[in-house]
Every structure is written in structure tokens, then in C-alpha cells.
Amino acid sequence: MVKQDSLLTKIAFLGISFVLTSAYAINGALPQMTEALHISSTEAQVLATTPSITVTIFVLLSSFIAAKLGDKNTIILGVTLVGFAGIVPFFTDSYVIILISRTVLGAGFGIFNSLAVSMIAVMYNGKTRSSMLGYRAAAEQVGQAILTLLAGLLLVFGWHATFLVYLIAFPILFLFMKRVPDTSEMTPLNTEETASENVEEVTHISPLVLVLTLFAAFLVIDYMAIQLSFPFMATDLKGDGYNTSPILSAMLIAATIGGVTYGWFVAKFGRFTLQIGLVLMAISNFLVAFSHGNFAMLIAGVLLIGFPLQLISPFIFNQLPKLAPLARQSLVTSVILIGFNVGVFVEPMVVAAFAKIIGHGGGSAAASAYATIPYLGSVLLIIAIITIITNRKQEK
């Protein structure tokens, strides 16, 4: 019987998160594909965005699939689909076949997306759970950065070769199958931190799950407002030829640090980790919003935003064992992930609508961002204050 607390088991489990955000790793090949396949740039972009559609659909379906197959077998199915569907474009020049393969790729990601989070709640407790949630978030960021870089290097051999990055799914799958136990086979973790939790058994799903879902959507709206607006802001200051990619890549590094240190923050600050993250996100907003003409201040705000987000998102997932039975963790995790995905999708519309409401509609993307981002930062501070008051009431 494999003990889930071993280092190799943890590495094997985190491996599935390493590949989870690789859907966009091949985006650098889109210009070459446009020319080679004789398709429009819009059709090429569809190849990049199609996985996100099926990810959302199968995130919803994953809990039902897991109920039939079991958690481990569902993850095995998802990673297998990622590996095989991911490399299909290496062998074909058919746009239709590539589009279908990208659709299946997204389904694979969606099938195990929520389980990559919810199984941590089942497998671990206390400080170990907090650390694993942080490491999982960091694994996503590191995986996205490394696989995007690797795909770029493979592009030297032609656009087909970039899709070979998905071969990484197979060694990850092998290690996962060998080292990660099924939930029915896990060894009880009789540790002091488990005994000290003293959490009452949860018998139903709390309405707070819906609140956290809306909160997750807002966080991503704020994050994407800065990430997507930064290239336009930088262009206004530095000219049309300015390359923002290195700075956007540095955002991923900062986010990775946030995930890696999440366990330490929880051990040091406990429930106030949430407020620390919210205040740091608000500071990032204000640095960006009031950076007019100050490029260093703008970069500081942009680099900061990823760090606190990776403190808050694991914190959200870490609350779910208190808000739903262990048997429903996959479902509630899926709901939270839908919140994050919906936030990404509606961000441009939300920012544009709010800019119009405050009298900045119809302007440039940079102007709209400068106008709306400080308001988003203010909302973050208000949420921080409300949660501090709530915490104090719970302690009395």
C-alpha cells in the first residue's frame, strides 16, 4: 500500500498540475500554422482558444465521471487524453483533425482539473494540505512557463514539432499511476496536525461555496484587467515596438513564488493570509492605476499582481473541506473553477461596461484600464475589511 505522504507520491501528484496549463504552450506556432495550413488568423486563434471551451464543459462533468470511475481512474483518463490528443497535430496537416484534437485536449484537461485540487483535500490534512495547495498552484505556473519555452525551442524544427511538448503527459501519467494511491487504498495520516484540526464532520454543501465562486470570478477579472491591459499601457509609454513578453513571463515567476510560499504564509498568519493577499492585490492595482508616465511603477504593479493571487486561490480551495463533505469535494471544486474560468471570459466585457458607466467608454484600452483599475483595487480593500470584521465576530 502506497503512503500518500511520501515525497515521491507528492511529486507524482503535482505532476498532473504541471501539464494542466499547457493548452496555450503552442501559441508561438500559430503564425507558421496560418501560413502552412492556408487558414486565416482567426481560424488559427480558434485552435488556441478551443480547449478552454471544452475545459469548462468537462470541469462540470468531471465529478459525475469520477463517481463512476473513481478519482484516480478519472485523472488517468484525462491525462491519457491530453497525451494522445496533444500530439495528433504532429502527424497531420488537416485543420479539421487538428481542431478536433484540440477539442479533445481541452476535454482531457477538464476531466482532471478539479480533481487536481479536490484530491488534495482527501489525501492531506492541516499544514500538509495547505502546502500542497500552494505547491500545486506553483506547479501550474512553472509548467506553463517551461512548456511554453520548450515549445518555442521546438518551433525551430517546424510548427508540427511544437506539439511534441504534450509527450510530457506520458511520463507524468506513468509516475502518477505507480505512486499515487486510489482514495480507497490510502493510508490514514495519523499526524499531530491531523489530530489538532478538530473539524466537525461536514454533512452538506454550504451556501458559502457560491460566495467563494463569485469571489473567484472577481479576483480573475482584476488579475486579467492588469495582465491584458499592460501591453497597451507599455506601448503608450515606450512605443509600438516594445516587447512586453519578458515582463509578462516574470509575472509567472512572481506567481510561482506566491504558490510556493503559501504554506508558510498560512503557518505564520493563518486566516489573515486572505487579507494579506487582498491588500497586496489592491496595492498592485493602485501602482498600475497611478503610474501615468512612470514605467518603473507600472512594471512594479504588474509584477506584483500574480504573487497575491497565488496566495488567495489556494486559500479558497483550502476552505472547501469545511464547506462540503469529502465525497462532494470534486463537485464544489469544479464550481469554484467555473468561477475562475467565467471571470477570465467576462473580464473584457466587465471592464468595458464599467468604463462606460464611469464616463470612459469608447477610449483606448489603456485609458479604460487606468480609469477602472483603481475602483477594482478599492473593492479588494473593502472585501479585506469585511473579512477582517467577520473573522473577529467568529472569534468571539
Side-chain angles (χ1 to χ4, degrees), residues 8 36 73 91 115-116 126 161 163 166 177 208 234 252 268 314 360 371 380:
L8 189 55
N73 287 334
F91 301 101
L115 289 171
F163 290 89
Y166 294 108
M177 292 173 64
L208 286 176
L252 295 175
K268 189 75 173 177
H360 290 270
L380 290 167

Side-chain angles (χ1 to χ4, degrees), residues 76-224:
I76 290 172
L77 172 62
V79 179
T80 301
L81 288 177
V82 167
F84 282 109
I87 64 172
V88 165
F90 177 75
F91 301 101
T92 182
D93 288 321
S94 169
Y95 178 80
V96 173
I97 293 176
I98 294 173
L99 182 61
I100 293 173
S101 73
R102 297 290 288 172
T103 302
V104 176
L105 178 77
F109 286 133
I111 284 173
F112 72 89
N113 195 331
S114 62
L115 289 171
V117 181
S118 64
M119 272 191 70
I120 293 176
V122 177
M123 293 171 65
Y124 302 104
N125 296 281
K127 295 178 182 178
T128 303
R129 178 198 295 155
S130 297
S131 296
M132 284 294 289
L133 285 169
Y135 292 147
R136 189 210 67 82
E140 283 193 1
Q141 303 299 320
V142 173
Q144 182 179 1
I146 291 178
L147 295 179
T148 300
L149 175 62
L150 181 58
L153 295 175
L154 289 171
L155 188 57
V156 175
F157 303 100
W159 67 266
H160 289 94
T162 60
F163 290 89
L164 292 178
V165 294
Y166 294 108
L167 287 173
I168 191 68
F170 295 111
I172 288 174
L173 176 63
F174 176 79
L175 188 60
F176 179 86
M177 292 173 64
K178 289 293 184 181
R179 294 299 310 178
V180 177
D182 199 353
T183 50
S184 61
E185 303 173 348
M186 290 191 306
T187 306
L189 298 178
N190 297 317
T191 62
E192 292 182 5
E193 65 180 50
T194 301
S196 65
E197 279 196 314
N198 292 325
V199 179
E200 295 183 4
E201 183 178 354
V202 181
T203 58
H204 65 280
I205 298 176
S206 169
L208 286 176
V209 172
L210 178 58
V211 176
L212 288 178
T213 303
L214 296 174
F215 178 47
F218 176 77
L219 289 174
V220 175
I221 288 172
D222 181 72
Y223 174 79
M224 295 302 295

Side-chain angles (χ1 to χ4, degrees), residues 8-31:
L8 189 55
T9 298
K10 291 177 179 178
I11 293 172
F13 188 82
L14 293 173
I16 64 174
S17 290
F18 181 88
V19 75
L20 190 55
T21 54
S22 62
Y24 305 111
I26 52 83
N27 284 8
L30 295 181

Side-chain angles (χ1 to χ4, degrees), residues 127 130 262-270 273:
K127 295 178 182 178
S130 297
Y262 168 72
W264 179 87
F265 270 89
V266 171
K268 189 75 173 177
F269 302 105
T273 301

